[in-house]
Amino acid sequence: MYIFLEISASHANKLVTFIMTPGLLSLCINMTVHIIFLYMFYVLHRHSRARKYEAEVQMCRLEVSAVDFSDYHPLKAITVTDSKARRGGRKGSTSSSSSSSSSVVLDPLSSMLDGSDPLSLFAAVNTMVLTELGRKRREKEEEVGSDFEPWSSKRGEILSRFTTTEKLSINLFMGSDKSKASSPSSAVSEKVRTRLEELDDLEEGSQRELLNLSQQDYVNRIEELNQSLKEAWGSDQKVKALKIVIQCSKLLSDTSVIQFYPSKFVLITDILDTFGGLVYDRIWSMCADPHPLPESFSADDVNDTAKETCLNWFFKIASIRELVPRLYVEAALLKCNRFLTKSGIQETLQRLTAMIRGIGDPLVAVYARAYLCRVGMEVAPHLKDSLNKNFFDLLATFRQIHGESVQNQLAQQRVEIPIYLTLYSPAIHWILQCVAYRAPEVLLTEMMDRCKKLGNNALLLNSVMWAFRAEFVAMRATDFIGMIKDCDEAGFPKHLLFASLGRSLSCADPPESERLSILNDAWKVITKVRSPRDYINCAEIWVEFTCRHFTKREVNTILADIIKHMTPDRAFEDAYPQLQSVIKKILPHFHDFSVLFSMEKFLPFLDMFQKDSVRVEVCKSIMEVFIKHQQEATRDPVILNALLHICKTMHDSVNALTLDDEKRSLSLLINGFIRMVSFGRDFEQQLSFCVEARATFCNLEPVIIHLIHTVNQLAMETRCVMKGNHSRKTAAFVRACAAYSFITIPSLTSIFNRLNLYLLSGEVALANQCLSQADAFLKAAVSLLPEVPRTISIEGKQRSSEPFLLDFINNFLSTLLVVPDHPEQGVLYLVRGLLNMVQDYTWEDNSDAKIRVYISALPLLAAMSQESYLYTIPKVDSNETLYGGDPKFIAEINKLCETLIGQVLDHLKGLGRDEGVRRQGSLAFSLFGCLLAHGDLRNNKLNQLAVNLWNLSHKHGFCDTRTSVRTLEYIKHQAQLADLSHLSDMTARLSLQSRT
């Protein structure tokens, strides 16, 4: 809103100067000399037109129009007209086709399927198609699904778990020079002889043994061999590639560094997988002539060339003399049997399963079975017989583990039997996983019985509980506990068996009547574990079971036991991940934090997290759960004290090196806690909490800002609860809230946060009739304006502060309308103080911000000159009441308007001399809008000035055309009103111009 009040004759010189600017003078050429000189030399009388705010609001309301329900309605059925041409019955008829119209309801489903119902259409599918779909569905069910954990997910764990510091050796095949490239004229017999020599050279070529390799060196050598395999294959050196694979497979017979064997198995089988894929893809590509094979091809679809090549590969493999490499290489090519016969894969699996029985070392044999089961699951998962036979063969040879040869080997390498048994775990876990995948319970029960017949071997029982479905294990948890008790603890500790059982019980529930006895039996064993590391690894698993099925009493007992075991010698320092896991398992089951914090041992458990980074992460996890699940505000002292301690821990972790994102994250969590604290109508207690929080969280500015907002909201709530009964006690409390904000705001580093909070707090004080406090807040904001820097940092980038400063000043001006003048200060002292600060502020070069502030101040003055204000605050007498339209008050407003308008005109004149024509047009248009909105344009001189400003804003074509057109339409619309009919003449003189 803009106001134009009286301008004295003494100010006419500025207006004359403004009119005589080159830009505006050129626009006045077409005017009559009489009008120009009247405008220049007569005293201009400007006054704001009287505003009737309620009438203007009513005019802006949307018109209500009655709806005829017989017309179109979006929920009404759509009716379309269908025109059908009738064809003539006689040949050669020249009569035109006639059309008939019929109304039909358009069904979107029917229209997509030519009028047929989609369900009916699907039901009418050919029986043969349904049969084919059923067959494919059954085949799909036999395939491995997403519920089967792939080998790739276990690979990394094995490599990181089974390591060694001992020196390793590797036999690298260096190749011989016997094989030379034959000339194109070589006879076929010569080629055959050369190939035979190459095959003999597979095991007789020159070799070099690399000794004293570290584990990393060994891994690098294996990776080099894998790369050499790919390069040899890419250069069409197929025999060399086969040599590399054979030599690598031989390494799986070596158990000289037995602790590294599982990792060696992973590395070598990677090479075998690469080789198998290369061979299969080569034969597949040979079948693409003339047409590529379908995915579900049979051996009959394979051409003779591809079959011959496939047989050639298997003949090469058959020439390998040693059992282990021959077995592994043929297993890698298992999928290629699809090219030969329909039953080739099944027969090969049975034969290879029987071949493994010839491997004497039980560790080598169990991993060979694991690899065969792996390729079997990838190629033919429906062939369960070979999987079962591998498992039963494993059971039959299990006694070899305790044989004399194995014991001598362990003694020679100084490896204890418990460590040796863990080497079997990956292989046995994988075999059992393959066997148990979608297996019927009858088979699983049979496996349990066979385990019992072996004397409940602990290693095997542990793998069974890992591999079997959690539901199967949970329903038989008592039976498994009985088997665990009967196991020999010498080779495999029982607490590891209970850990495996606990993993299953954390996923599936045992019978309710057995849960307490299960927990007691398990914890009797776990609590006796002496090693803190072994203890916490097992206890952490059973926390989930306890939280799911028992009360805080049992959980508190477990926490006490964990504290007892982990406190001596500060053992908890080496178990932070497990202790964090305990917290994360407890929190989802205790959303009632009064119950959680009433557990005697919960906070002492938190005290074990003494590493700063870990302690903060734990506190953050607790606060995240609290904010997510706490539905109602609380005043429970147990919760408040505990969470205040947790939030203080997070706050105290902040230092000069803390990243802004981390500060922001912590602040959000602490603010979430503050938001959930409520003392009801005990406002003094609420304010005391805010005082304590301010002292506790002084290093996090977002928290301090939130506290100030909370206190301001508290002051407003006090006013609402008292329903206007502003008693002395209520007034004193509101003043206390104002004092809290006034003391706290200066501690903020962001100057715009301080400005906005000064303004907000002043508005709150004003709403609560605390005029002196409101006056103090607003004066503090005005005094702070000179300190605003020209640039501020936003997300690490320096940005101009002018847009933010202008936004604040506009908000500030809108508040000043309802702020009464101080009885001991002059008229409009806050407005004058603000404008003086704006005048003295160092603005950016070539900036129009100061002038825009002056223009923005005019609406305030216009509103202040009205008999009744646009908005007021209940029980606060604004200047409209204090002055009552006093002429002296209006005169002061007029003087202030003269000064502001003079500044604007001087600035426009300066822009006309420089190259700021675009800025000149923008400001001139703003001034025109000011005249249009608030000036009394019935005054001819004022009317002519508005026209001149319009023409000046359009002279250089920088004014937005759309805005100009809409403004003209608005003026024409307003001219139709009775009291604004004088605008009609002005619209005729407003033209749209451009640079062209």
Side-chain angles (χ1 to χ4, degrees):
M1 297 188 303
Y2 299 93
I3 175 174
F4 297 108
L5 303 177
E6 291 184 354
I7 296 181
S8 63
S10 63
H11 203 70
N13 292 331
K14 288 187 177 181
L15 294 177
V16 171
T17 304
F18 170 68
I19 295 298
M20 294 304 295
T21 57
L24 188 58
L25 186 60
S26 63
L27 295 176
C28 297
I29 294 176
N30 295 328
M31 302 179 185
T32 63
V33 177
H34 176 71
I35 296 177
I36 295 176
F37 281 91
L38 279 178
Y39 176 76
M40 294 172 56
F41 296 104
Y42 278 82
V43 177
L44 301 181
H45 296 280
R46 300 186 183 183
H47 55 86
S48 63
R49 60 186 177 90
R51 306 295 296 273
K52 299 178 181 179
Y53 294 122
E54 294 183 1
E56 292 181 19
V57 170
Q58 293 297 329
M59 290 176 57
C60 295
R61 295 187 184 276
L62 296 176
E63 296 181 1
V64 179
S65 59
V67 178
D68 186 1
F69 291 99
S70 62
D71 296 336
Y72 167 77
H73 189 273
L75 298 181
K76 187 178 179 180
I78 301 175
T79 304
V80 298
T81 302
D82 183 19
S83 298
K84 299 180 180 179
R86 299 177 181 177
R87 295 182 180 179
R90 297 191 307 271
K91 184 177 180 180
S93 173
T94 59
S95 61
S96 60
S97 302
S98 61
S99 62
S100 62
S101 300
S102 61
S103 296
V104 295
V105 177
L106 180 63
D107 182 4
L109 297 180
S110 300
S111 64
M112 294 300 294
L113 294 170
D114 297 330
S116 59
D117 180 6
L119 299 180
S120 301
L121 181 66
F122 295 146
V125 176
N126 190 286
T127 306
M128 293 180 60
V129 177
L130 289 176
T131 304
E132 180 67 16
L133 291 175
R135 183 183 66 81
K136 291 183 178 181
R137 187 183 301 110
R138 289 192 297 273
E139 291 179 356
K140 192 70 176 178
E141 290 175 353
E142 292 177 351
E143 295 179 359
V144 176
S146 59
D147 55 338
F148 183 83
E149 185 179 6
W151 173 259
S152 58
S153 64
K154 300 177 180 294
R155 181 181 179 280
E157 179 187 354
I158 296 173
L159 290 175
S160 61
R161 179 182 175 189
F162 297 97
T163 60
T164 184
T165 57
E166 297 186 20
K167 297 300 180 181
L168 303 167
S169 63
I170 183 174
N171 290 324
L172 281 179
F173 178 79
M174 304 305 297
S176 67
D177 297 330
K178 293 181 182 180
S179 58
K180 303 293 182 181
S182 59
S183 63
S185 60
S186 297
V188 176
S189 59
E190 180 66 19
K191 291 183 179 180
V192 174
R193 187 176 65 81
T194 302
R195 286 298 181 94
L196 292 175
E197 289 178 354
E198 289 177 346
L199 293 177
D200 290 338
D201 194 41
L202 291 178
E203 298 179 80
E204 296 176 359
S206 61
Q207 300 181 13
R208 184 178 69 175
E209 185 176 13
L210 300 179
L211 303 175
N212 298 324
L213 296 176
S214 65
Q215 177 179 323
Q216 187 59 46
D217 292 336
Y218 189 93
V219 173
N220 294 337
R221 293 293 183 180
I222 296 298
E223 291 179 354
E224 290 175 3
L225 287 173
N226 199 354
Q227 187 62 31
S228 299
L229 168 65
K230 297 177 182 178
E231 293 175 356
W233 190 272
S235 59
D236 203 27
Q237 301 180 49
K238 305 298 188 299
V239 175
K240 180 180 179 181
L242 181 58
K243 291 177 182 179
I244 295 174
V245 174
I246 293 174
Q247 291 299 317
C248 291
S249 300
K250 285 184 178 181
L251 298 177
L252 292 175
S253 301
D254 179 21
T255 57
S256 57
V257 184
I258 201 167
Q259 291 176 273
F260 185 67
Y261 190 85
S263 294
K264 180 197 293 187
F265 170 79
V266 170
L267 297 171
I268 300 300
T269 53
D270 285 347
I271 296 179
L272 290 167
D273 294 340
T274 301
F275 178 70
L278 293 173
V279 174
Y280 183 85
D281 292 341
R282 171 174 168 76
I283 300 174
W284 174 274
S285 64
M286 298 176 68
C287 300
D289 189 19
H291 302 292
L293 288 177
E295 288 293 334
S296 57
F297 71 92
S298 64
D300 297 335
D301 301 324
V302 181
N303 58 45
D304 294 339
T305 303
K307 286 184 178 180
E308 183 179 355
T309 303
C310 187
L311 284 171
N312 186 34
W313 278 107
F314 284 116
F315 289 154
K316 291 178 182 178
I317 295 171
S319 67
I320 302 174
R321 298 175 184 177
E322 295 185 18
L323 172 61
V324 172
R326 184 169 72 250
L327 172 68
Y328 272 101
V329 177
E330 186 171 1
L333 269 61
L334 178 65
K335 192 176 182 180
C336 294
N337 284 278
R338 293 184 61 190
F339 298 110
L340 299 178
T341 61
K342 183 178 181 180
S343 59
I345 293 178
Q346 183 176 4
E347 295 172 355
T348 304
L349 280 173
Q350 294 176 356
R351 178 168 51 82
L352 295 180
T353 300
M355 286 173 60
I356 296 177
R357 298 169 186 169
I359 300 177
D361 193 311
L363 185 63
V364 177
V366 72
Y367 276 94
R369 291 189 174 94
Y371 185 71
L372 187 59
C373 290
R374 178 152 73 87
V375 295
M377 285 295 291
E378 294 174 357
V379 176
H382 59 284
L383 299 178
K384 301 290 186 181
D385 291 342
S386 63
L387 299 175
N388 298 338
K389 286 183 179 179
N390 272 286
F391 174 70
F392 294 140
D393 286 350
L394 171 65
L395 295 182
T397 59
F398 223 85
R399 296 184 181 88
Q400 292 180 347
I401 294 177
H402 303 286
E404 183 178 353
S405 61
V406 173
Q407 297 299 324
N408 292 337
Q409 185 183 23
L410 297 181
Q412 183 180 1
Q413 298 191 33
R414 297 179 181 178
V415 177
E416 298 179 356
I417 189 66
I419 297 177
Y420 175 70
L421 290 178
T422 59
L423 303 179
Y424 286 81
S425 297
I428 298 178
H429 284 355
W430 179 259
I431 295 172
L432 278 170
Q433 179 182 335
C434 296
V435 172
Y437 180 66
R438 295 181 180 175
E441 290 198 8
V442 177
L443 178 61
L444 302 182
T445 305
E446 180 185 354
M447 292 181 181
M448 283 186 61
D449 295 337
R450 293 208 178 195
C451 291
K452 291 180 181 179
K453 292 179 181 178
L454 284 176
N456 291 331
N457 184 280
L459 174 62
L460 187 59
L461 182 59
N462 183 64
S463 298
V464 166
M465 289 186 289
W466 267 88
F468 283 12
R469 294 192 302 271
E471 295 79 9
F472 180 88
V473 176
M475 292 304 296
R476 296 163 179 79
T478 303
D479 295 337
F480 277 102
I481 288 178
M483 295 171 67
I484 292 173
K485 291 180 178 178
D486 295 337
C487 286
D488 183 10
E489 197 171 9
F492 204 93
K494 289 185 179 180
H495 71 269
L496 295 181
L497 298 176
F498 275 106
S500 299
L501 178 61
R503 288 188 182 91
S504 297
L505 297 183
S506 63
C507 301
D509 299 333
E512 185 175 358
S513 59
E514 301 176 4
R515 293 171 185 172
L516 182 59
S517 61
I518 291 172
L519 180 60
N520 289 334
D521 290 335
W523 208 257
K524 286 178 183 178
V525 175
I526 297 171
T527 192
K528 294 179 182 178
V529 178
R530 295 183 178 181
S531 169
R533 180 179 180 182
D534 293 339
Y535 168 83
I536 193 60
N537 286 334
C538 194
E540 173 255 329
I541 295 172
W542 280 89
V543 168
E544 174 74 18
F545 175 79
T546 308
C547 293
R548 286 178 60 181
H549 303 297
F550 298 97
T551 63
K552 69 173 186 178
R553 177 176 172 272
E554 289 77 11
V555 175
N556 190 67
T557 302
I558 288 184
L559 292 180
D561 195 63
I562 293 176
I563 294 173
K564 176 183 176 182
H565 280 78
M566 303 305 296
T567 301
D569 300 327
R570 300 179 66 86
F572 54 80
E573 293 182 345
D574 299 324
Y576 284 138
Q578 292 83 356
L579 296 176
Q580 282 182 274
S581 178
V582 171
I583 290 292
K584 291 180 179 179
K585 290 179 178 179
I586 291 176
L587 292 176
H589 299 282
F590 289 91
H591 296 163
D592 188 347
F593 275 72
S594 62
V595 176
L596 180 66
F597 291 127
S598 64
M599 284 194 294
E600 181 183 356
K601 297 299 180 180
F602 184 77
L603 292 179
F605 183 86
L606 295 181
D607 290 339
M608 288 195 296
F609 296 97
Q610 297 189 9
K611 186 178 179 180
D612 291 342
S613 59
V614 178
R615 183 169 65 248
V616 171
E617 287 300 320
V618 171
C619 292
K620 288 171 65 176
S621 63
I622 294 174
M623 292 307 304
E624 287 171 357
V625 174
F626 174 80
I627 294 172
K628 181 178 180 180
H629 296 286
Q630 185 70 22
Q631 300 295 330
E632 298 179 354
T634 181
R635 60 186 300 174
D636 190 326
V638 175
I639 295 178
L640 297 187
N641 291 334
L643 291 182
L644 199 61
H645 170 73
I646 291 172
C647 290
K648 185 178 186 303
T649 300
M650 295 191 299
H651 168 269
D652 293 346
S653 68
V654 175
N655 53 45
L657 300 179
T658 305
L659 299 176
D660 291 339
D661 287 344
E662 179 66 12
K663 292 180 181 179
R664 191 179 300 111
S665 175
L666 295 176
S667 298
L668 287 174
L669 294 175
I670 296 175
N671 287 342
F673 160 63
I674 294 173
R675 195 177 296 112
M676 297 306 298
V677 177
S678 175
F679 290 89
R681 294 195 175 186
D682 191 348
F683 299 120
E684 294 182 358
Q685 185 67 25
Q686 189 83 32
L687 183 60
S688 298
F689 171 80
C690 291
V691 172
E692 182 181 2
R694 179 182 60 187
T696 305
F697 310 124
C698 57
N699 291 334
L700 291 175
E701 186 161 308
V703 178
I704 301 301
I705 294 173
H706 181 74
L707 285 171
I708 296 174
H709 282 286
T710 301
V711 170
N712 283 325
Q713 183 180 1
L714 185 62
M716 295 303 297
E717 289 179 357
T718 305
R719 175 175 175 268
C720 294
V721 169
M722 298 306 296
K723 296 181 180 179
N725 298 326
H726 212 62
S727 63
R728 291 183 179 180
K729 184 177 181 180
T730 304
F733 178 79
V734 173
R735 287 195 293 270
C737 292
Y740 178 97
S741 299
F742 196 79
I743 294 172
T744 309
I745 291 174
S747 66
L748 302 177
T749 58
S750 172
I751 191 167
F752 280 103
N753 282 334
R754 280 183 276 165
L755 286 172
N756 290 321
L757 287 174
Y758 272 135
L759 179 58
L760 174 65
S761 301
E763 292 170 346
V764 171
L766 197 63
N768 285 277
Q769 299 98 50
C770 296
L771 302 183
S772 59
Q773 284 77 13
D775 193 66
F777 280 117
L778 297 179
K779 285 196 296 186
V782 172
S783 302
L784 190 60
L785 287 177
E787 300 179 19
V788 176
R790 296 178 65 175
T791 60
I792 56 176
S793 177
I794 300 177
E795 297 181 353
K797 297 181 180 180
Q798 291 296 321
R799 303 290 178 83
S800 172
S801 63
E802 278 192 1
F804 303 95
L805 183 56
L806 289 176
D807 183 63
F808 168 77
I809 291 175
N810 287 332
N811 291 334
F812 194 89
L813 289 171
S814 65
T815 302
L816 290 181
L817 176 63
V818 295
V819 178
D821 284 341
H822 196 283
E824 298 179 1
Q825 304 291 340
V827 177
L828 303 177
Y829 80 102
L830 280 176
V831 178
R832 296 176 186 276
L834 175 64
L835 294 176
N836 288 335
M837 290 297 181
V838 171
Q839 176 69 28
D840 297 336
Y841 183 76
T842 304
W843 299 93
E844 294 184 8
D845 298 335
N846 300 322
S847 171
D848 300 323
K850 179 171 67 173
I851 301 303
R852 293 195 178 277
V853 172
Y854 292 159
I855 295 175
S856 298
L858 294 176
L860 171 65
L861 300 175
M864 285 184 170
S865 67
Q866 302 295 322
E867 294 182 0
S868 60
Y869 285 179
L870 177 61
Y871 48 86
T872 57
I873 295 178
K875 296 189 177 182
V876 174
D877 293 333
S878 301
N879 286 339
E880 62 172 343
T881 304
L882 295 180
Y883 296 108
D886 190 292
K888 294 182 180 180
F889 176 65
I890 300 300
E892 290 295 330
I893 294 179
N894 291 342
K895 291 180 182 179
L896 195 53
C897 287
E898 291 178 12
T899 303
L900 295 179
I901 295 174
Q903 291 287 336
V904 175
L905 297 180
D906 289 343
H907 188 74
L908 285 174
K909 178 181 177 182
L911 292 177
R913 290 195 300 265
D914 302 329
E915 296 181 357
V917 290
R918 180 189 293 270
R919 294 158 52 200
Q920 183 189 57
S922 176
L923 290 175
F925 193 80
S926 297
L927 204 53
F928 168 79
C930 180
L931 286 170
L932 178 65
H934 306 289
D936 189 357
L937 297 183
R938 288 173 296 186
N939 185 304
N940 293 332
K941 305 176 187 63
L942 195 60
N943 192 302
Q944 184 61 52
L945 178 59
V947 173
N948 290 344
L949 289 171
W950 171 277
N951 293 333
L952 179 61
S953 66
H954 287 75
K955 176 182 177 182
H956 300 284
F958 291 118
C959 193
D960 183 64
T961 304
R962 179 180 298 181
T963 303
S964 300
V965 171
R966 296 181 65 180
T967 303
L968 274 176
E969 292 177 353
Y970 171 76
I971 297 173
K972 293 177 182 179
H973 176 75
Q974 292 293 101
Q976 298 175 3
L977 302 178
D979 55 345
L980 297 176
S981 58
H982 57 276
L983 296 178
S984 300
D985 296 336
M986 188 181 74
T987 56
R989 292 180 290 158
L990 300 181
S991 59
L992 298 175
Q993 300 180 19
S994 64
R995 276 178 285 187
T996 59

